[in-house]
Amino acid sequence: GSVRDRRVRGSFKVCSKSVIFEPEDAAEPILKVGRGTGLAEPPLALPFSSDGGWCYFLSRFSGDRDYLFHLETTVKTEDVVQTLLQLHRASCLDKLGDQTAMIAANLQSRLARTSFDKNGFQSVSEQPHMECEAEMVSPLVTNPGHVCITNQSLYFQPLNSYPDSVVQIRLHSIRRIYKRRHGLRPLGMEVFCSEDDLCSDIYLKFYNTKDRDELYYYIATFLENHMAEHTAESYMLQWQRGHISNYQYLLHLNNLADRSVNDLSQYPVFPWVISDYSSPRLDLNNPASFRDLTRPVGALNTERLERLLARYRDMPEPSFMYGSHYSSPGYVLFYLVRVAPEYMLCLQNGRYDHADRMFNNIAETWRNCLDGATDFKELIPEFYGSDSRFLRNELCLNLGKRQGGGKVGDVILPPWASDADDFLQKLRCALESQYVSENLHEWIDLVFGYKQRGCEAVAAHNVFHPLTYEGGIDCDSIEDPDQKIAMLTQILEFGQTPRQLFSTPHPQRITPRYSSVSTTTPSSSELSPVTPSEDSSFEDLTEESKKLAWSNMSKLTLQCRHKLHKEAVTGFAVTCNGASIFSTSRDSTLKMFSRESNSLQRSISFSNMALSSCQMLPEDQTVVCSSWDNNIYFYSVAFGRRQDTLMGHDDAVSKVCWKDDQLYTASWDSTVKVWRCVAAEISTNKRSQFELLAEFEHDAGVNTIALNPAGTLLASGTKEGTLSLWDIPSFTLLHQMPCHAAKIHHMAFSPDSRHILSVGEDVTMRVTDVQTGMLISTIPTEEEQRCFCWDGNTVLSGGQSGDLRLWDLLSGKVMHKIPAHRGTVTAVWMSEQCSTVITGGEDKQMLVWKPQY
C-alpha cells in the first residue's frame, strides 16, 4: 500500500464496516478506514504493474487523501473489489438495521458460493460427518467460514484464509467443550484441549442453534469414553475436598457460566480478595488484610451504599442499585491495555483513554472501586496467573501524561510487592489462603449463585441494571431493527451477568483446620475445630490403615462363598472380633455363621415375613432385626433366643440403626422413630421397655436411613426419592430435598460427615452437601446400584448385574469391576478397618472378601 507517498508492505483486511491495513513493521501505524471516517466514494480497480496484477484506490477515506493498494494475489482482486462495492452501498443506507441486513446478506451469499475444501483433510481415511457455516470468534472480531467435522478431527476454514487457511483440532485431543451464549443467543461453542488453560483452542459461533447442537453432541458422544462430563456440581465436589485449587474452581465456574476470554462482554470475572495495598508487608494471617467476600464491591463502602440505596428506593421500575456492572469490555481493556492496546484503540476510535483514567496504580484502582460513584469492577483472571506483562509497558506505548506531569508507564504496585511477578505470586497465595478458602463460597453466591437475582440479591445489595441479566430485556420483542441493534449493542457494551449456576447456598470448602459438622442447634451448619486427643497417634495409624485398604480395594480377593438362605440376603451384622456373621433374608430367617468353623451355627425365624435389616449392638450381646411384619426383634446371642419384640410401626420396617443407646427405625408407614430403652439393660435376657423420643414424618414410605459417625445427624430416603436430614439433639428437620427421581435404595454419610451418598432406582448415584442441603454431584450408573460402602472419595457398590464396582467419585468413572453374585447384589458390609468386605445377593449367597496388599 501507498501511505503518505511511501510504499508500505502489510496485510489488507476487508471487514463488515471498515477496511484495515496492518503494516508488517510494528512501528508503522495501523490504517483503519470506514463509514466513521467518511467513505465518500466507492473503490475503483485499475490495472497496475507489469506482472498483470490488479490494484485499486479508495478515494477520500480520510479527508481528501487517497490510499492506493496493490494486491499481490491477482485471483482475489476482483472478488475484493466487488465485496467493497457491496459494503459501500450498505454503508450509504440511512437505517442501521438496513445496513446490518445488507451486510449479512452479502456474507451469506459469499458463504453459499463456497464450501469446505476437503483437500484440507489430514488423512485420506477421514469420513466427514457434517459441514456447516460458522464464525470463529476472537476479541472484537468474528471470522466467517466453513466448519467440517469428521470421525477424526474438527476443521474450520476461514472464508478469507486468514490467519490460517485451515484450523484443525483432533477429537482425541479435546478435553472440554462448552455451549455458549453469543450476542445473547445460544449460538456459541468453545473447545479446549487442556484442563486448566484460560484460553480455548477455538470458539465458534453458528448461524443457528440446530447446527451448534448437532456438532456439540457429536463431539460429546465421541468423547464419552475418553473424558468425564464436567458440571458445576462435579467441580464443586472436587473443590470442596481440596482436589482443585480456588483458582481452578473459579476458572471452571466462569467457563460453565458462558465466560470466555474471546468475548470481552463476557470475560471471566475474579474477585478482589486483598484490601491492604499500603502496608510494607502483606499479612495473610490477618483477616483485616482481606476484602469482605460476603458483599459485592458496591456494598463494601457503607457510606456509598447508603447513597445508592436511597437512590434505589426512589427509582421507578426497573430499579437497580448500581448504574454500571462489575465486568464489561471497557473494564477488561482497562486492565489489559499494555498487552492488547489494539482492542482499546478499536473501541475508542483509535485513541487511548485519558491518562488519569488509565490503569496506573493498584492502590488507586482499589480506592476508586471503594469510593467511586460509578466504579464497581471486580478483577480478571490475569491477576492470579503467572504472566505479569499486563502490568508492565514492555511495548513502550505512549499512554499519555497525567495531570501531575508523570508519563503513564508500568502499573505502580503496593509496597509489599518487590516487582510485578512478586505481586502476582502474593495475590495467588492470597486467593488460596485459609481465609479466602473459608469465605469464597459467599462470593460465588453473589456472582454465580442464589444471591445473583431476586429477593436474595436485594437482601445482599447485589441488584444491577436489568440489561445485564440473561432475559432481563427481551430483545426479540423489539420490532424496529434499528432499536433492536442499538439495544443489543448497549447490552454488550454494558456487561453481562454470568449465567446462574446455583439456586441454593453454595457449600463451604473443607479446610484442614475443620473436621465435622456441629449439630447442637437446628440451624447448625458451622464447622467444629479439630482438637488433639490422647488417642490421636492411634487414630492416625487407623486412618493410614484405612487408606491403605481402600487403595487396594480393586484387588479384592474372594475368601469364601456360602449359600445360607432360601431368598435374597438383606443385611449383615458382625461381632467385633469378626468370628460370627449374622445375616437376614427375605426368607424371614436370621442366620449365624461361624468364621472359625466355617459353618452355619444357628437359624432363627421370628415370623413368616421377610427380615429387612439387622444391627449388632455394643458388646456383641444382642442383634436387632427389622421385619416386614411391622415389628423390630431383639435376639440374644448369649441365650440363643428372641429376647424382645417392639411393635413400633403400622407398616413394614425397612431399616434399623443404633447409636448411643438410641434405636432408630424406618418404616413404609412414612415415619422414622427414635426410641430409648428403659427399665432394663438391652444386653441382658430381661424384657425391656422402649420410650418413644421422636417421630419424623415423611410424605412417602421411608426405605432407608443412615446415621453420621457422631450420631448427631440422621438422613432418611423415601420411596419417592426425597432425602431428609434431621438434627438428632433437637429432633428437628434441617433439610428436605428431592434427591432421586424414584426410590432411594441406600445412603451413607462420608467419614467427615460433610456429604451424603445415595443410590436409587433412577439409576444414579448422588452426593448431597450436608451443610447446605445442595445436590452437588449426580453420576449415571448404567444399572441400578442397590448398596455400597465409601470413604468419601471412592465407592464400592453392588448392583443388578451381580458385579461389585469400584468408583472414583470425583471423575464419576468406574475404575474396576469385580464379578461377584449371580443376580443383584442386595447387601454389603465393611469392617471398621476396611479389611473385610461381606456381600449378599439375590442368589441367596454370602461372599466374604479381603483386599490384597
Side-chain angles (χ1 to χ4, degrees), residues 65-80:
R65 181 171 294 278
D66 294 339
Y67 294 90
L68 184 65
F69 297 95
H70 173 249
L71 301 187
E72 295 181 350
T73 309
T74 58
V75 178
K76 294 185 178 179
T77 305
E78 187 174 353
D79 184 37
V80 170

Side-chain angles (χ1 to χ4, degrees), residues 715-725 735-747 756-769 773-779:
S716 55
T718 70
K719 289 184 173 183
E720 292 183 351
T722 301
L723 185 152
S724 303
L725 184 64
H735 303 293
Q736 190 170 73
M737 69 292 294
C739 184
H740 289 265
K743 181 194 299 182
I744 299 177
H745 289 308
H746 184 60
M747 57 173 48
I756 300 169
L757 180 66
S758 56
V759 293
E761 203 172 50
D762 59 355
V763 197
T764 62
M765 182 183 295
R766 301 179 185 245
V767 181
T768 303
D769 181 73
M774 179 186 286
L775 179 66
I776 60 175
S777 183
T778 300
I779 302 169

